[in-house]
Structure formats: C-alpha cells, structure tokens
C-alpha cells in the first residue's frame, strides 16, 4: 500500500535482528548466553478514561513490538544500547536511579530494580533494545520496553514468578523507581494475557482478563495519528480525575457503593442538584462506559458487529460530549470515517486532546478512507500518520542462549 496508508515504523526505526546486533555491540561470543524477550504495544478500544483502580477495558495487544536482549558482563557495569537511535547509556547497580535524560533506558533500569529488590544477584549486564511501536501515539511503547526487559530478566535469572506476582512486582517497582501513584496494571495484564486475533476484556480492580475471538478477521484496523500538537494534557486529565473522585464521593452519600461500577445512569440523574454539571458529566461518562463494555462483551460473544459498532460510536460521542477529551480534528476523522460504506467502527483512542483514532473497515473502503485523509491534511494542515495493525500475541521469550 502507498500514500497516507503506508505502514510506518517509528519507535526506534525499522525492526532489526537484535541477536547479532547485541553480540556485535558488546563483543559477546557465540558460546555466551543472550536472552531476548519481546513485548507488544497495546490498543484500547473502550474504557481508557474510566475509574482509577477499578476500570473495565476492551483492549488488545498489537502487532508492533519491542525486543530487549540481555547478557552478562565480566565487570559490574550496566550498559544500554538503542541501535536505531544510536544511543548508549551506562550506570551501575549502586547508582541505579531514574534520570530524565536516560529516557528509554529508565524502563530497563526499572526492571533491574525490580529483580534486585526481589533478591536476585544483579551484577554486570548488557542490554540492547529495538522496536517498531510508534512513540507518542498512546500505544504503550515505554511499557513494552519495561515488560520486555522484565521478561528477559525473569528468564535470565530463571525466576519462578507467576504472571500475577510479576504484575504486582512491576506495580511496586513503578511506585518506587518512577515515583508514580495509582499505577494502572492494565498494560501489564494485556501484555501477559494477549493472544493473536483476540480482544481482551480487562477488569482492573480484580486483575482479571477474559479473551474473546476478534470478529474483525475480515476487516482492516487502521490507527491514525492526527499529529495535532498536544499541550497541557496531564493537567486537563488530572482535573477530570479529580472531578470524578468528587462525583463518586457525592454518589456514595446518597447510596452506598465503593466504585462507579456500583451505580447506574439514573443515580446521576437523581443527583443533578447535588453535583456541578461538569462533575456530573464526567461521572456519567464512566458509569455509561462501564455499561458499554458489558454490552460490548455480549455483542462480541454473539458476533453482533452492528451492535458493537453502535457501542463504539456512542463511546466516542461520550468522550467528546461528557468527558470532553476529544478535539475538532479527531472528531472530524471519526465523523468522516463513519460516513464511508464498509467502515465498521471508528473512535478516538488514548489520552485525547489530539492523538489517535482507530478505524475498523473492509478492504473495499480503504480507497475512500484514504481520500478523506487527504481532505484532513488540506483542511487542518496536519500530515496524519497511518499504521496498519491487528490483535497480536503477548510477551514472549524468543531466545535463551
């Protein structure tokens, strides 16, 4: 395919063969151990702006990955190499800490921190990383580095960790090493449970995942990066999270419940006099999105694409009108896609205020979809980037020697 729908690899460049690359960089003899692990990117179909700590999600891993290779050193140095960036970083276990300027290497350092805290004897190690997950597109590219590094080290140390134990250790490591609060485990759950051609229903509160066969085997999935500049996103999202926390507290005063999943839209209508309008709207989005995800699960089980399409469109409308994280450019892309015969669904995905849409469409609709993208660039002045994606398998170790 040519033009705007060309497949673009943009995290560290095109995927390279990491094994020979790693051995050449560190002069590793063929007789020495090299462990390589691969972790996928992630796409949210529904649910990413839900209740912190208790959200429901419809997601999948995607066929864009990061690979991390690790091998032992004879000294106590920790070395990191991103070949496509031409960047090298180094530290030692004694000096292991987050440094903003180390960017991608921080996620490998986090995995080292994890296994050190678990009591494994971390000495000198070499790391290399390559990948083709688009950056700044809401596809969990940095989390994929973290999970691939953790999986590689788990194999390297022959650590008998269950998936749940690894997830809990990753959450704790993010809190300690990155200083994060309310770490969302969903990306870890997706990476560890993903299966080719399957969608995942994720319950963040209970760390549970259900796989459902994707009904879109005869469709294409196009991720569209709008290229809209985004500024102040974190502050906007922080305010919305605060609004929803206040909304939940007010709901709990009227009727007992520990989470938005315990309420229905009628509860918010009854509370209109007690809630500021923006708090009511944000809270209503979460309550209705929870219901939409339950309905989506039922539609997927029945193979009802028409109902699933309706649910996805309504979710975008709610993100636009209630949670208010969309923007004119994203709304234009979704609206124009909806108008094309052969498009099954289209919606924004990720943090919002720009960013990406995903569109699920038949092959026959690609030409018309491409024309709309040309109109988008002419109208808004941004050159969008397109990625052809599909639901893929999760994290795996691909070499152990």
């Amino acid at each position: 395919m040519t033009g705007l729908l060309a497949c673009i690899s943009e995290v560290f460049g095109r995927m390279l063969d990491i094994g020979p690359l790693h051995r050449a960089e560190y002069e590793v003899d063929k007789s020495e151990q090299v462990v390589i692990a691969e972790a996928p990117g992630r796409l949210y179909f529904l649910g990413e702006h839900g209740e912190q700590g208790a959200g429901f999600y419809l997601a999948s891993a995607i066929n864009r990955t990061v690979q991390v290779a690790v091998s032992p050193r004879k000294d106590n140095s920790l070395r990191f190499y991103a070949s496509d960036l031409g960047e090298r970083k180094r530290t030692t276990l004694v000096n292991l800490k987050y440094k903003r300027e180390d960017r991608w290497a921080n996620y490998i350092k986090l995995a080292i921190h994890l296994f050190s805290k678990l009591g494994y004897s971390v000495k000198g190690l070499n790391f290399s990383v390559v990948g083709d997950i688009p950056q700044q597109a809401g596809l969990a590219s940095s989390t994929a580095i973290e999970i691939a590094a953790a999986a590689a080290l788990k194999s390297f140390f022959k650590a008998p960790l269950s998936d749940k134990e690894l997830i809990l250790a990753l959450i704790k490591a993010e809190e300690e090493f990155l200083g994060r609060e309310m770490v969302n485990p969903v990306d870890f759950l997706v990476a560890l449970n993903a299966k080719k051609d399957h969608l995942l229903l994720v319950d963040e509160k209970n760390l549970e995942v259900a796989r459902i066969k994707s009904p879109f085997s005869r469709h294409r999935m196009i991720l569209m990066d709008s290229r809209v500049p985004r500024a102040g996103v974190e502050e906007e999202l922080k305010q919305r999270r605060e609004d929803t926390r206040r909304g939940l507290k007010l709901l709990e005063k009227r009727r007992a419940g520990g989470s938005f999943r315990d309420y229905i839209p009628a509860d918010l209508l009854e509370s209109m006099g007690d809630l500021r309008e923006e708090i009511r709207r944000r809270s209503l989005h979460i309550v209705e999105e929870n219901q939409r995800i339950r309905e989506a699960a039922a539609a997927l089980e029945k193979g009802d694409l028409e109902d699933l399409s309706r649910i996805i469109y309504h979710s975008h409308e709610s993100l636009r009108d209630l949670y208010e994280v969309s923007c004119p450019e994203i709304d234009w892309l979704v609206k124009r896609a909806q108008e094309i015969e052969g498009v099954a669904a289209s919606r924004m995905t990720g943090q919002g205020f720009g960013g990406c849409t995903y569109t699920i469409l038949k092959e026959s609709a690609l030409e018309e979809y491409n024309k709309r993208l040309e109109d988008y660039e002419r109208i808004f002045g941004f050159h969008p980037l397109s990625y052809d994606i599909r639901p893929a398998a999760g994290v795996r170790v691909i070499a152990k020697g």
Side-chain angles (χ1 to χ4, degrees):
M1 190 186 305
T2 60
L4 289 171
L5 290 179
C7 202
I8 303 167
S9 299
E10 213 191 31
V11 63
F12 299 115
R14 295 186 181 279
M15 285 286 280
L16 302 174
D17 191 340
I18 195 173
L21 180 152
H22 180 86
R23 291 185 182 277
E25 171 67 16
Y26 297 110
E27 299 181 350
V28 178
D29 187 82
K30 289 185 178 180
S31 64
E32 295 182 78
Q33 179 190 26
V34 176
V35 176
I36 302 170
E38 179 180 79
R42 177 268 306 130
L43 178 69
Y44 288 135
F45 295 93
L46 296 168
E48 66 268 51
H49 291 283
E51 180 182 357
Q52 282 189 296
F56 292 116
Y57 298 78
L58 179 64
S60 79
I62 61 171
N63 57 321
R64 294 299 188 97
T65 63
V66 163
Q67 293 180 359
V68 172
V70 59
S71 64
R73 294 181 59 83
K74 293 182 173 64
D75 59 23
N76 289 322
S77 179
L78 299 170
R79 305 288 182 94
F80 312 95
Y81 176 46
S83 64
D84 301 306
L85 292 175
E87 290 186 4
R88 295 169 175 84
K89 311 287 183 180
R90 66 170 64 187
T91 189
T92 62
L93 185 61
V94 173
N95 296 310
L96 191 70
K97 60 183 178 181
Y98 174 86
K99 291 183 179 179
R100 185 173 182 178
E101 62 270 23
D102 283 349
R103 299 164 40 245
W104 53 271
N106 284 312
Y107 301 102
I108 302 176
K109 290 193 289 182
L110 182 148
I112 298 169
H113 169 87
L114 183 161
F115 282 91
S116 176
K117 286 292 186 178
L118 288 175
Y120 290 89
S121 180
V122 178
K123 297 181 180 179
L125 295 169
N126 296 317
F127 292 89
S128 297
V129 57
V130 299
D132 64 355
I133 304 174
Q135 291 183 347
Q136 308 301 319
L139 300 177
S141 58
S142 57
T143 305
I145 300 173
E146 182 181 324
I147 297 173
L153 286 172
K154 177 184 173 183
S155 178
F156 181 86
F157 289 119
K158 298 180 174 59
L161 294 172
S162 68
D163 286 351
K164 185 171 183 179
E165 288 170 334
L166 182 59
I167 288 171
L168 294 175
L170 284 164
I171 291 171
K172 187 174 181 181
E174 287 206 357
E175 292 170 347
E176 293 174 345
F177 191 79
L178 300 180
R180 291 178 176 169
E181 298 179 0
M182 293 290 292
V183 175
N184 188 325
V186 175
D187 289 347
F188 305 142
L189 288 164
V190 170
L192 290 166
N193 289 278
K195 185 177 179 181
K196 183 180 178 182
D197 296 327
H198 282 69
L199 307 184
L200 303 176
L201 288 161
V202 183
D203 181 341
E204 179 185 359
K205 182 178 181 179
N206 298 309
L207 300 183
E208 294 177 350
V209 179
R211 296 191 189 105
I212 299 181
K213 181 74 174 177
S214 171
F216 299 115
S217 59
R218 298 183 180 181
H219 290 72
R220 300 282 289 274
M221 291 187 183
I222 305 297
L223 182 81
M224 177 59 55
D225 186 345
S226 68
R227 308 298 285 177
V228 173
R230 297 193 296 171
V233 173
E234 285 304 321
E235 283 302 311
E236 290 285 351
L237 293 176
K238 183 179 179 181
Q239 182 59 57
R240 280 154 180 75
R241 289 191 290 267
E242 179 58 30
D243 286 345
T244 55
R245 279 193 289 267
R246 293 173 67 184
L248 181 57
K249 285 181 179 179
L250 289 167
L251 282 172
E252 289 173 332
K253 289 181 179 179
R254 296 180 64 91
R255 183 168 65 80
S259 167
F260 277 113
R261 62 176 67 192
D262 299 321
Y263 297 96
I264 60 175
D267 294 319
L268 283 155
L269 293 174
E270 292 172 3
S271 303
M272 286 183 66
D274 301 326
L275 294 173
R276 289 208 323 263
E277 179 56 23
E278 63 268 27
I279 294 177
R280 188 191 69 83
R281 289 201 306 269
R282 314 286 194 246
S283 301
L284 182 60
H285 165 75
I286 294 178
V287 171
E288 291 185 338
E289 187 79 349
N290 286 344
Q291 182 60 38
R292 278 189 287 268
I293 293 170
R294 295 186 186 101
E295 292 173 357
L300 284 165
E301 291 288 357
K302 294 184 295 184
D304 190 338
L305 293 186
E306 184 175 341
D307 196 29
L308 184 61
S309 297
R310 175 190 62 79
I311 292 165
I312 290 172
Y313 285 140
H314 285 175
S315 178
H316 180 81
E317 291 170 353
S318 182
L319 289 167
R320 180 192 68 202
D321 300 334
L322 298 180
Y323 210 70
E324 297 180 289
V325 290
S326 191
C327 66
E329 294 87 350
I330 289 291
D331 293 336
W332 189 95
L333 285 168
V334 170
K335 178 67 174 175
R336 297 288 84 78
Q338 289 178 0
E339 296 169 349
I340 301 171
E341 185 177 352
V343 169
S346 188
R347 176 190 181 272
M348 65 162 281
T349 186
Q351 289 186 314
F353 304 100
C356 298
T357 69
Y358 68 85
T359 300
I360 303 169
L361 70 171
K362 294 181 179 178
E363 192 82 31
S364 60
L366 280 171
E367 183 177 354
E368 182 60 29
Y369 183 68
N370 197 29
K371 289 179 182 177
R372 302 296 173 98
L373 297 183
E374 292 171 356
D375 290 341
Y376 170 83
E377 184 171 1
R378 176 177 52 80
I379 293 168
F380 294 103
F382 301 120
H383 180 67
L385 298 178
S386 298
Y387 306 92
D388 203 341
I389 60 174
R390 61 182 180 274
V395 64
R396 62 191 182 119
V397 174
I398 58 178
K400 295 184 180 181

